[in-house]
Amino acid sequence: RQIRPGDWRGNGWYRMMRPAGTMIPSRSPGQKRCGTDLAGWTTSRHPSRRGESSVMNICFAWGNNSCHMRGRITATNCGDYYVYYLVEQPFIYYRYCAV
């Protein structure tokens, strides 16, 4: 059994909030950012219209490889913020980043 951060509740919908940030970044934050070794970021555009959802590609940065591991998430535009359907990653060192 792996130990998970206190705010992780498994696969499900999450809203990024201050002070961490309000959305998943669309550029690699680099290795050892966002409180983890492998920081998750998206290579896709966020949905632009309120109520719109889209499947987004996610990457986890490690060393010189900004996309060491790939996955998919879903993002929904809620007007002033986004919510994300995030999925469990294989190790606790893979975490989603917020900016």
Side-chain angles (χ1 to χ4, degrees), residues 18-92:
R18 289 181 180 22
T22 58
M23 63 190 298
I24 293 178
S26 56
R27 292 185 316 192
S28 173
Q31 181 184 350
K32 297 192 182 263
R33 301 280 190 223
C34 301
T36 189
D37 288 337
L38 292 104
W41 61 284
T42 182
T43 62
S44 305
R45 288 182 163 200
H46 280 76
S48 58
R49 293 187 307 272
R50 180 188 292 258
E52 181 182 16
S53 293
S54 62
V55 174
M56 301 173 73
N57 295 314
I58 197 91
C59 284
F60 291 87
W62 176 253
N64 292 330
N65 187 348
S66 63
C67 202
H68 172 73
M69 200 211 49
R70 299 170 196 262
R72 290 186 177 244
I73 62 170
T74 300
T76 299
N77 181 328
C78 294
D80 296 332
Y81 60 92
Y82 295 94
V83 292
Y84 301 92
Y85 188 86
L86 304 178
V87 295
E88 184 97 16
Q89 296 304 313
F91 301 103
I92 62 171

Side-chain angles (χ1 to χ4, degrees), residues 11-23:
N11 294 357
W13 290 98
Y14 292 84
R15 177 180 173 185
M16 306 293 184
M17 299 180 72
R18 289 181 180 22
T22 58
M23 63 190 298

